[in-house]
Amino acid sequence: MTSNAQVLVRRGPDIAEWFDTVAHLRAKVFRSFPYLYEGDIEYEKHYLSMYARSADSLLVLALADDVVVGASTGLPLGDAEPAFHVPFADRGIPVEAVFYCGESVLLPAFRGLGLGHRFFDEREAHARSLGGMQWASFASVDRADDDLRRPSNYRSNDPFWTRRGYVRQSDMKVTLPWKQVGEPSETEQTLTMWLHSLENAK
């Protein structure tokens, strides 16, 4: 099955006009498990400004009836927050060789229609077009299998990412603070990096 949603691609400074829309979408989608993010729109806009500052960043938007229902971001790792550099430096992978896939957020009604693949296709093609990029990577939040907050109908994205050729790197971690739903203050959350070789083109 495929989606009839319109897909738009924006790069670098052209991303700025979408800050407000994408910030609200991120906050809405990330409120659910496994992120359980309380949401802070002003922080979201600040976070997204990182992509507008990068000349080689990418924003992929999915629109249905002119409403944004999904978004996916990416940029060279060297332009990302320094916290994401650390696990690569520890592994001896130059940041200049990595394209970081920030996130893919999609409203539930539009999942399973091929948009997730389209998001990865666009980001990986863009990364290859930059030249010198050997790896595509992203980070996924760690949650225990017995986490009581896990919904009974929750389906992990791990099989999808594995089919895309990404491999979970259990020794490559990054910690970020955010306020979880129902908690009074921010706590440190651990995320694990996934890697995919861009030198093996499909």
Side-chain angles (χ1 to χ4, degrees), residues 1 15 39 61 65 69 77 83 85 88 113 120 151 153 158 164:
M1 183 183 297
I15 290 172
L61 296 161
D65 297 324
V69 297
L77 181 63
H85 300 184
F88 294 91
L113 302 177
F120 273 102
N153 63 347
D158 289 15
R164 291 286 317 187

Side-chain angles (χ1 to χ4, degrees), residues 74-102:
L75 79 173
L77 181 63
D79 295 341
E81 295 179 8
F84 290 97
H85 300 184
V86 176
F88 294 91
D90 291 345
R91 178 73 76 85
I93 300 175
V95 296
E96 297 82 6
V98 181
F99 188 81
Y100 181 70
C101 299

Side-chain angles (χ1 to χ4, degrees), residues 6 8 19 43-44 69-70 76 92 123 128 137 168 171 200:
Q6 179 187 9
L8 299 180
F19 279 0
Y43 170 80
E44 289 299 309
V69 297
R123 291 184 295 185
R128 290 189 176 99
S137 181
R168 188 176 186 274
D171 62 333
N200 299 321

